[in-house]
Amino acid sequence: MGNREDLLAGAKRCLMEKGYAATTSRNIAEAAGVSLAAIGYHFRSTKALLNEALIEAMDDWGKEIERALTTEAPPGSTPLERFEAIWTRIIESYVRLRPLWAIQFELIAQMDRLPEVRESFANANRQARLGLAALFENLDPVADERKAMAVGAFYQALLGGLATQWLVDPDSAPSAQDLVQALQVITAVTRP
């Protein structure tokens, strides 16, 4: 790899180990095995490097979630069994990708001071909603974008809320079976 790629890889490692705010240019240079001057040469600033590394890490995370959602449920599965299988895989991603989930919450708290990150998150949110609607409910965003955005927002809220619970207290966070049980109660209550 070249210095630029080494810096991005080093920055991603530092993000996972230290978080966004605690990562310094020295940390990144050491992790990448390059000089501090390389950061300025390739990215102009540590902040620009961290933002680009974060966007790459978020893309990696998105691909991981997509893999979890597109894994086939066993043949003949009911919608609830498919729902449970998907959420089981998503919960496994909370454990595997805990540092990346934590960074997202760290950055959300700093959005007012990071307008370029806010813009990236806003664009990613829109795409995530459409993608979640397609993956969970096979909704075509071109056919009915408003419906896809609403359904995607529901799944995004569930995804983020569950991530929060897993970050704060993984021992008492809901399991996929708990979500299925809650869904059964909620849908029974809403039926006439």
Side-chain angles (χ1 to χ4, degrees):
M1 288 197 297
N3 281 354
R4 188 174 202 293
E5 293 80 16
D6 292 336
L7 284 165
L8 281 168
K12 284 199 277 190
R13 272 195 311 278
C14 289
L15 283 170
M16 297 298 183
E17 293 168 7
K18 300 175 181 294
Y20 188 91
T23 296
T24 67
S25 54
R26 187 170 306 283
N27 298 145
I28 296 169
E30 287 175 9
V34 301
S35 71
L36 279 170
I39 294 172
Y41 178 78
H42 290 287
F43 295 94
R44 291 190 220 155
S45 71
T46 303
K47 187 175 175 180
L49 168 56
L50 279 173
N51 290 346
E52 190 166 331
L54 177 67
I55 289 166
E56 280 192 15
M58 296 292 289
D59 187 51
D60 295 343
W61 168 81
K63 289 174 184 168
E64 174 75 20
I65 293 298
E66 186 175 348
R67 274 192 298 277
L69 293 174
T70 56
T71 302
E72 290 295 320
S77 296
T78 67
L80 279 178
E81 289 168 338
R82 182 175 177 273
F83 182 90
E84 184 177 345
I86 289 170
W87 284 101
T88 297
R89 289 187 296 274
I90 289 173
I91 289 168
E92 290 167 357
S93 85
Y94 294 150
V95 175
R96 265 192 332 280
L97 302 173
R98 183 181 175 85
L100 190 53
W101 281 99
I103 289 167
Q104 290 180 68
F105 286 97
E106 176 187 353
L107 290 173
I108 288 168
Q110 298 180 37
M111 284 289 169
D112 291 339
R113 294 183 296 279
L114 301 168
E116 64 282 358
V117 173
R118 177 189 291 276
E119 187 177 327
S120 291
F121 266 58
N123 291 334
N125 268 341
R126 185 180 187 316
Q127 293 307 312
R129 287 177 184 168
L130 295 174
L132 289 168
L135 290 167
F136 270 100
E137 301 299 332
N138 296 317
L139 292 178
D140 179 3
V142 175
D144 191 345
E145 184 174 345
R146 183 181 167 133
K147 182 177 183 180
M149 287 295 281
V151 170
F154 169 80
Y155 282 111
Q156 190 176 38
L158 187 55
L159 195 65
L162 192 58
T164 301
Q165 294 179 60
W166 272 88
L167 285 170
V168 172
D169 186 8
D171 293 332
S172 66
S175 68
Q177 289 174 330
D178 294 332
L179 294 177
V180 168
Q181 184 179 19
L183 187 59
Q184 289 172 319
V185 169
I186 292 166
T187 56
V189 169
T190 59
R191 289 188 183 139

